[in-house]
């Protein structure tokens, strides 16, 4: 099984390097970049499983990155890490579709759990896409197996519960 | 070459208190900046510590070794500095905070702990860490801070301040009692005045007793939302 790939976005080089070293120790493949523009470019090339981004950055900040990614890679979970830990900032981040919002200084144990959950979500979304594709094949008459009403109800249920 | 330096004269009738208010506005920004900027080095320290302890563990260092103790102490230190920075940031920009009387007194005791130590005053806080009240978060935080500082002044040089937070029916009540010490009434007075002014804005029923024998008793009562 291949390693999960994580993209780190932070304008402070020392933080990026430390983060990358830690995540590599935890068994992930890591890419890193200094801002949102760089993140979009790398994400298009490597399709990371999770993106961890600082909130306040020059050029394209964390939330602008999330908005841009919604178009390009809507299934990629983004975890925002910030020193600006206000309730308003967290609410705005969640409204923008951020997977989770972590305050600086980081709690490594909490990050481990968040990454596991993010990867599970990504995996679930992937499985759902595969099932949808199969369902599409059934609809177009490519495959007839599983086209019964109970099977269709099961597929509808999968679509409903998968995002949660 | 160059321009002659002109001293701008103070405008006649200019309010000297305005200068202090202008400076206070700058200090607000400084505190917010400090609270935010201080987080980055703390964040890096946490990452360094995590890497260090993982590397030590992978080299077979036994748990509970002397180095482990240092790592734990550093983690505690980072946590304390983080708490302080958070308190600075919340005190300077409280407008987005919930109106929490428990958090307000906790924050005030943290922020004025040094002030109290310098004044030779011991502060004891009892009651829940969080108690929401019907108030405005900015006035609430300032009111509690002024009330606490007034009590510190009343107990100056050897006294103590007890802060008790409790629910009494539909009211959340913060009782502050300053006892002992020499006390400096004149230094407490501006803070008591500020507390009186803020009480209305904060929807607080405030009572102040300053017995001639010394000390002070303040009661700050708020509606507790059900």
């Amino acid at each position: 099984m291949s390693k999960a790939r994580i993209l780190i976005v932070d304008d402070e080089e020392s933080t990026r390097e430390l983060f990358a070293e830690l995540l590599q120790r935890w068994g992930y493949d890591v890419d890193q970049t200094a801002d949102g523009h760089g993140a979009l470019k790398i994400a298009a090339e490597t399709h990371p499983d999770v993106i961890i981004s600082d909130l306040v950055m020059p050029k394209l900040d964390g939330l602008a990155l999330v908005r841009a990614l919604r178009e390009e890679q809507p299934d990629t979970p983004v975890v925002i890490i910030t020193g600006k830990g206000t309730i308003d900032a967290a609410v705005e981040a969640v409204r923008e579709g951020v997977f989770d919002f972590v305050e600086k200084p980081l709690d490594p144990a909490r990050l481990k759990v968040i990454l596991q959950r993010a990867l599970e979500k990504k995996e679930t979304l992937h499985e759902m896409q595969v099932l949808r594709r199969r369902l599409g094949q059934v609809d177009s008459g490519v495959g007839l197996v599983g086209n019964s009403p109970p099977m269709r109800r099961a597929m509808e249920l999968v679509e409903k519960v998968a995002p949660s | 070459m160059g321009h002659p330096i002109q001293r701008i004269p103070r405008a006649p009738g200019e309010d000297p208190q305005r200068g202090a208010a202008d400076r206070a506005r700058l200090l607000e920004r400084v505190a917010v900046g400090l609270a935010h900027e201080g987080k980055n080095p703390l964040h890096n320290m946490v990452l360094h510590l995590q890497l260090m302890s993982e590397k030590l563990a992978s080299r077979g260092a036994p748990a509970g070794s002397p180095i482990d103790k240092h790592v734990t102490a550093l983690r505690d230190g980072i946590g304390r500095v983080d708490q302080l920075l958070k308190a600075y940031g919340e005190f300077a920009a409280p407008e987005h905070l919930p109106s929490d009387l428990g958090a307000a007194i906790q924050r005030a005791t943290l922020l004025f702990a040094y002030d109290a130590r310098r004044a030779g005053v011991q502060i004891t806080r009892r009651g829940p860490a969080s108690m929401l009240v019907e108030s405005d978060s900015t006035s609430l935080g300032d009111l509690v801070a002024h009330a606490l500082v007034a009590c510190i002044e009343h107990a100056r040089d050897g006294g103590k301040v007890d802060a008790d937070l409790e629910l009494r029916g539909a009211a959340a009540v913060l009782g502050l009692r300053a006892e002992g010490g020499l006390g400096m009434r004149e230094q407490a007075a501006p803070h008591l005045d500020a507390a009186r002014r803020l009480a209305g804005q904060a929807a607080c029923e405030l009572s102040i007793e300053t017995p001639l024998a010394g000390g002070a008793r303040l009661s700050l009562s708020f509606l507790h939302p059900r």
Side-chain angles (χ1 to χ4, degrees):
Chain A
M1 203 175 140
S2 66
K3 289 178 182 176
R5 192 166 204 100
I6 296 179
L7 171 59
I8 298 165
V9 194
D10 199 309
D11 57 325
E12 267 208 34
E13 192 185 354
S14 56
T15 307
R16 270 199 327 267
E17 296 289 343
L18 283 166
F19 231 138
E21 192 182 340
L22 184 64
L23 294 179
Q24 278 160 355
R25 286 189 73 87
W26 289 356
Y28 298 113
D29 277 333
V30 181
D31 297 303
Q32 47 173 296
T33 183
D35 62 61
H37 289 302
L40 287 174
K41 198 168 162 236
I42 294 175
E45 288 162 8
T46 64
H47 296 279
D49 296 296
V50 181
I51 297 175
I52 299 176
S53 174
D54 195 10
L55 180 65
V56 182
M57 292 182 293
K59 298 177 190 169
L60 197 67
D61 70 16
L63 288 187
L65 170 64
V66 172
R67 280 191 282 271
L69 277 167
R70 223 165 27 204
E71 306 290 320
E72 310 287 328
Q73 296 186 33
D75 296 345
T76 307
V78 181
V79 178
I80 293 283
I81 296 196
T82 180
K84 191 186 167 190
T86 64
I87 293 171
D88 284 6
V91 168
E92 192 188 352
V94 169
R95 204 179 290 141
E96 291 293 347
V98 164
F99 179 76
D100 214 327
F101 185 84
V102 180
E103 256 190 87
K104 287 180 187 175
L106 176 81
D107 174 353
R110 186 170 169 232
L111 182 69
K112 259 188 188 174
V113 174
I114 290 171
L115 286 177
Q116 279 166 6
R117 279 180 32 231
L119 289 167
E120 279 165 18
K121 184 190 174 186
K122 173 96 179 175
E123 182 63 26
T124 308
L125 289 172
H126 175 70
E127 283 170 8
M128 199 176 81
Q129 277 173 355
V130 171
L131 287 169
R132 266 201 198 121
R133 232 175 283 136
R134 284 193 194 154
L135 188 62
Q137 285 175 345
V138 169
D139 279 345
S140 60
V142 174
L144 292 172
V145 179
N147 198 20
S148 62
M151 191 62 189
R152 279 183 172 280
R153 276 198 298 278
M155 296 305 281
E156 280 167 16
L157 187 64
V158 166
E159 291 209 16
K160 269 185 201 163
V161 299
S164 62
Chain B
M1 288 289 284
H3 300 282
I5 296 168
Q6 285 188 333
R7 290 214 175 272
I8 300 169
R10 184 178 283 242
E14 192 178 318
D15 181 2
Q17 284 195 333
R18 196 166 164 181
D22 289 342
R23 187 162 168 74
R25 266 193 290 281
L26 283 179
L27 287 175
E28 241 175 62
R29 286 175 179 252
V30 168
V32 171
L34 172 71
H36 191 261
E37 287 302 305
K39 296 255 175 176
N40 282 331
L42 285 185
H43 181 61
N44 280 9
M45 281 187 235
V46 167
L47 292 171
H48 273 296
L49 273 176
Q50 184 67 23
L51 278 165
M52 202 167 89
S53 42
E54 288 191 13
K55 283 175 186 174
L56 281 170
S58 69
R59 282 179 201 165
S65 70
I67 291 177
D68 254 7
K69 283 179 198 159
H70 293 307
V71 169
T72 306
L74 283 169
R75 281 205 177 108
D76 287 350
I78 289 170
R80 284 176 63 183
V81 175
D82 180 43
Q83 249 194 325
L84 262 175
L85 288 178
K86 202 170 172 202
Y88 276 120
E90 288 179 350
F91 184 74
E95 57 276 8
H96 302 297
L97 296 174
S99 297
D100 189 331
L101 184 57
I105 185 62
Q106 197 174 16
R107 194 164 53 237
T109 47
L110 194 64
L111 291 175
F112 298 105
Y114 173 66
D115 211 42
R117 275 206 310 278
R118 221 173 36 160
V121 174
Q122 196 185 341
I123 301 179
T124 310
R125 187 171 51 82
R126 281 181 292 265
S130 173
M131 191 179 284
L132 292 178
V133 292
E134 304 256 356
S135 184
D136 148 65
S137 59
T138 304
S139 317
L140 172 71
D142 290 358
L143 167 61
V144 169
H146 278 295
L148 180 67
V149 173
C151 284
I152 291 171
E153 290 301 342
H154 270 286
R156 183 173 273 278
D157 294 326
K160 62 170 189 159
V161 175
D162 289 325
D164 290 290
L165 178 61
E166 59 181 353
L167 267 180
R168 284 187 208 153
V173 182
L174 174 65
L176 292 167
R177 180 193 287 253
E179 283 176 337
L182 296 175
M184 290 279 263
R185 280 170 175 270
E186 59 278 23
Q187 294 210 44
H191 295 288
L192 289 178
D193 287 345
R196 283 190 194 97
R197 278 196 302 274
L198 284 161
Q201 294 168 37
C204 168
E205 202 175 288
L206 173 68
S207 80
I208 301 174
E209 290 173 50
T210 50
L212 283 174
R217 277 181 215 162
L218 277 70
S219 169
L220 290 74
S221 179
F222 299 83
L223 264 181
H224 175 62
R226 292 192 178 264

